[in-house]
Amino acid sequence: MAQWHSLQQLDSAYLQKVDELYFGEDFPMAVRHYLSSWIESQDWEKASRDVSVASILFQNLLENLDIQYSRFGQESESFLLQHNFRSFKQNFQATYQDNPREMAFIISKLLMEEKNILNAVLLAQEVQNLQVQPNPMETESQQDVQKKILELKSKVLDMEHHVKSLEEQQDEFDFKYKTHNLEGHTEQERKEEMRVLQDLLNKLNESRKNLLVGIQNILAIADALLVSLVREELVDWRRRQQKACIGAPENVCLNQLEQWFTVNAECLFHLKKILKKLEELCAKVTYDGDPFKTERPALQKRVDQLLTDLLQSAFVVESQPTIPLGKGPLALRTNVQFSVKTRLLVKIPEMNHLMKVTAMIDKDVQQVRGYRRFNILGTNSKALNMAESTSGSMVAEFRHLTLKEQKAGCGGKGSNDGALSVTEELHIISFEALFERHGLSVKLQASTLPVVIISNSSQQQSAWASVLWFNMLCTDPKGLSFFSSSPVATWPQLSEMLSWQFLSVTKRGLNKEQLRMLAEKLFGRQLSYENCRLPWARFSKENFQNNNFSFWAWIDGIRTLVKSYLEDLWNEGYIMGFVSKGKEKTLLKKQQHGTFLLRFSESCKDGAITFSWVDHFSNGKSNVRTVQPFTKNDLSQIPFVEILRNFQILVDENVPENPLKFLYPNIPKDDALWKYYAENDADGENPYKKYIKTKLIIVTSDKSNDVQSAQSTDTINDSLATPDCPGDALPQSTGCATQNEEAPPVTEAMQLTPSDELVNDPWLSNIFPQNHIDLDNTDFFHQDLDDNSVYPVGIDSSSIEDHPFTSEFFCSNPLPTPVTAVTTPTHFNAVGYDQSPLLLHY
């Protein structure tokens, strides 16, 4: 009813379209009107595809027609409508009885066309609002610029009329002056003629003065406009471009600036023609004290200077240098092609392909010991043209430039032996062009933002850190010595930039809670972080939280992981991500059994993600468990969503069960993740299992299979909590461990024994000598930098994959609860964790 009601409120023009929609006899407008509520509540689109649904709706339609027919019978003035509805029913039965899907298709199409009419009305209203009201996104200065533009154009047009009027006035004076002595006149008549001529000359002189005053006023407006464009709008655009280079969602479109620069230039060029016209008028008629002689040259010089300043400012670098597959612009690599685009913000069609732009690097940089020098290879000269721009702008795009480091003396390669590292050394690529038109010759120059030049892909992360730090804090586009004494960053500046890093590669930045957690890691727990400051070294050089990598390396690894493997979950907001272990426990223990959350590892340089869940016991206690983090190597083999979907542990009676029930805070797991699940193939297996040949192996506790007594005196970590995983940490694929001398001894050796069906398998006999693994062999243990616990690591996957392995292995453990583990195709890991049943897969 709502849609039909909205259509009835439209004006006559749109109501006419509605009338045309129901002009035929396929579906009468009267039926649409009286049955509107019922019609709009049905799924006609589905019925058009399903004959059974269409048949049901067709019968319901006939019933509704009968009901409405009966209602008309109770109203004395509805005889005609009653007759019409009887005819409608008969027509529907004759037309659609055998093909109800056709009727459903017609109604579905009509409803869609109605929506299109309503959308057209809304669009027209929005356009009208935009035309009537100022753009709310425009700043006060932009509105001021627009007013000056309109005023300048109006004044120049008025000046055209003044010049024509002045020319007519001068022609009149010139004609009368040249003809006043041709015929004989009396003395009195000659005096009268001279008086008339003098009056004409006085008026001409006054008109010339007024015209020059008008030109001065126009120049004042043009000057003020240029100041606004160059010192405010262009500066603001350059800062937006800086921020956009490091991921900020800024508008860096130049079309509006180009329009303003072009109008200003056109007005100044027009004024230049007017001054040329005044010079011609002065050549025809001049006199003592002629203002054209005394004032016009100064005005001409001022116009030329304004044009020079405008053109020089209008030449910009629209797209900063970028290499393919890089982390972002301004981080370049030697011998790798990069692209960059320049643009002249003044459209001059006559200059298309006439202005040559030449690229060079470090043109005005002084020679400093240790400062590397480079040559630009490739086609470094190109003409400004309008063909490379969809909007007809004057651009020159260089797509195949390459940097090559110059050799130092004695034939050796250049080297950086200064105080700055290679990734802190800044360089500038500049472009030059020459504008020559209307007697004006202007040298144009534009420069890129400082670039970092590396020679190896391993330096890319550090190079991008330098790009981020410079463009976050420095507004001087030529501050090449920035890193000699780099300023500190405030937390508001840093937090904004960090959020941009995720927003630039996904659809979501960092929220306040995630930023607060990062601030706590950097500065400790505080009431407010507004005044906290971070130096450059702590951001990119010093080890972060006793790890062997920096804060930025940690963030960048997570950013890359999210971009490559976790973007869908991140965009949905399902990944809490940055949350401390203490906060994690506090959050989960308040939730229902099986609630889990997703967070990033705090101790993995290249980025890793883990999940933790809460178990509630009958005694009222709770336990938060965490699996060992999954790295990009793991996620490249199995999608993270499938890991969450298929993760299992062993519960009572060795029954596998997925403990993950609700995504924090209380979203049923399948409701949150179902649309990202891999579709089942014809054999009921997930496609990803085919190409990675995944097998599932369950490790459980079974004392009946203890074929040998304990012989090991090795010790394992009793706490079993890794530095990254609070509570009972459950390891996954590539995790290894180191022996912990402070852990209590184990009273019974862990044994990995094949089940009864596989004891006599010769393939297993080669792998499991004496049907068990000797834990006294210290070579059987691996060390993991992120884990202080001990667990045995065994069989190479190459041996396992060659065997048609279909049964189960069991891990004998003195602990009362089943123990399981998780592996990848890289290793077969048998892992012992206290009261921590896990799925083992590889």
Side-chain angles (χ1 to χ4, degrees), residues 393-566:
S393 303
M394 302 281 290
V395 301
E397 184 172 9
F398 299 84
R399 300 179 181 176
H400 306 290
L401 297 181
T402 307
L403 295 175
K404 186 175 180 62
E405 188 174 349
Q406 294 180 4
K407 293 182 178 180
C410 304
K413 239 185 149 182
S415 63
N416 180 297
D417 57 359
L420 300 177
S421 67
V422 168
T423 56
E424 294 174 326
E425 186 182 278
L426 302 179
H427 302 264
I428 287 183
I429 300 173
S430 56
F431 304 88
E432 291 185 350
L434 184 63
F435 178 91
E436 290 183 311
R437 182 170 174 78
H438 298 306
L440 196 65
S441 180
V442 182
K443 185 178 180 181
L444 309 181
Q445 181 172 327
S447 300
T448 66
L449 292 167
V451 300
V452 178
I453 304 174
I454 59 176
S455 57
N456 193 292
S457 59
S458 63
Q459 300 169 314
Q460 197 171 73
Q461 189 176 75
S462 296
W464 184 239
S466 297
V467 171
L468 293 176
W469 201 260
F470 177 90
N471 291 285
M472 174 177 61
L473 299 177
C474 186
T475 57
D476 179 10
K478 296 187 178 181
L480 299 185
S481 60
F482 173 80
F483 285 103
S484 298
S485 57
S486 174
V488 297
T490 64
W491 174 244
Q493 291 173 319
L494 184 62
S495 62
E496 186 178 44
M497 181 270 287
L498 292 176
S499 183
W500 293 340
Q501 300 317 295
F502 289 85
L503 185 60
S504 63
V505 296
T506 67
K507 297 177 182 179
R508 177 185 288 266
L510 300 178
N511 59 37
K512 291 182 179 179
E513 187 62 25
Q514 291 167 333
L515 290 171
R516 188 201 61 76
M517 179 270 183
L518 290 176
E520 186 175 318
K521 286 188 171 296
L522 288 171
F523 309 111
R525 187 168 298 179
Q526 300 186 28
L527 293 177
S528 173
Y529 298 96
E530 293 297 314
N531 297 322
C532 292
R533 299 174 181 273
L534 189 76
W536 163 242
R538 280 197 64 195
F539 175 74
S540 69
K541 297 180 179 181
E542 297 177 1
N543 289 342
F544 174 61
Q545 292 194 338
N546 299 322
N547 295 307
N548 61 345
F549 50 84
S550 66
F551 173 77
W552 166 245
W554 178 59
I555 291 291
D556 188 54
I558 292 172
R559 169 182 178 263
T560 303
L561 190 77
V562 169
K563 175 184 178 182
S564 302
Y565 304 106
L566 306 170

Side-chain angles (χ1 to χ4, degrees), residues 669-686:
K669 182 188 68 175
D670 290 338
D671 289 354
L673 307 179
W674 70 270
K675 60 183 176 182
Y676 302 116
Y677 289 160
E679 294 293 332
N680 292 334
D681 62 11
D683 299 328
E685 295 182 356
N686 291 330

Side-chain angles (χ1 to χ4, degrees), residues 36 148 356 556 583 810:
S36 59
K148 290 175 181 175
K356 186 173 71 172
D556 188 54
K583 182 70 171 179
F810 296 91

Side-chain angles (χ1 to χ4, degrees), residues 194-353:
M194 291 301 297
R195 187 188 64 79
V196 172
L197 288 172
Q198 187 63 51
D199 289 342
L200 290 175
L201 183 59
N202 291 339
K203 291 180 180 179
L204 179 61
N205 184 63
E206 189 65 23
S207 297
R208 287 189 172 187
K209 288 181 179 181
N210 291 337
L211 190 143
L212 293 176
V213 170
I215 292 176
Q216 290 175 348
N217 292 336
I218 292 175
L219 290 177
I221 297 172
D223 194 2
L225 177 59
L226 183 60
V227 169
S228 297
L229 291 177
V230 175
R231 297 183 184 177
E232 296 178 15
E233 299 303 324
L234 193 57
V235 169
D236 184 58
W237 174 82
R238 292 185 190 279
R239 182 55 186 158
R240 292 201 307 272
Q241 187 188 46
Q242 264 192 292
K243 294 163 71 175
C245 283
I246 57 175
E250 295 285 350
N251 178 15
V252 293
C253 180
L254 283 168
N255 292 343
Q256 182 65 77
L257 267 177
E258 182 182 67
Q259 179 188 356
W260 289 338
F261 269 91
T262 300
V263 170
N264 200 358
E266 287 174 347
C267 289
L268 288 173
F269 276 121
H270 205 72
L271 211 56
K272 190 174 175 67
K273 291 180 180 180
I274 289 176
L275 289 172
K276 183 67 176 176
K277 181 67 175 179
L278 299 187
E279 183 180 11
E280 295 174 358
L281 293 178
C282 184
K284 292 180 180 179
V285 174
T286 187
Y287 47 88
D288 293 338
D290 185 356
F292 279 7
K293 275 188 176 182
T294 58
E295 298 181 26
R296 189 198 59 80
L299 294 176
Q300 181 69 60
K301 184 177 181 180
R302 189 179 175 189
V303 169
D304 290 346
Q305 186 60 51
L306 286 174
L307 277 170
T308 299
D309 294 343
L310 185 144
L311 290 168
Q312 289 177 339
S313 301
F315 189 43
V316 299
V317 176
E318 180 179 9
S319 299
Q320 296 293 329
T322 307
I323 63 173
L325 304 178
K327 287 188 176 293
L330 304 174
L332 307 182
R333 183 178 168 188
T334 55
N335 302 318
V336 175
Q337 290 185 345
F338 67 92
S339 60
V340 61
K341 183 195 290 187
T342 60
R343 181 170 174 176
L344 182 63
L345 299 179
V346 178
K347 282 187 180 180
I348 307 177
E350 307 93 287
M351 300 294 292
N352 190 24
H353 289 285

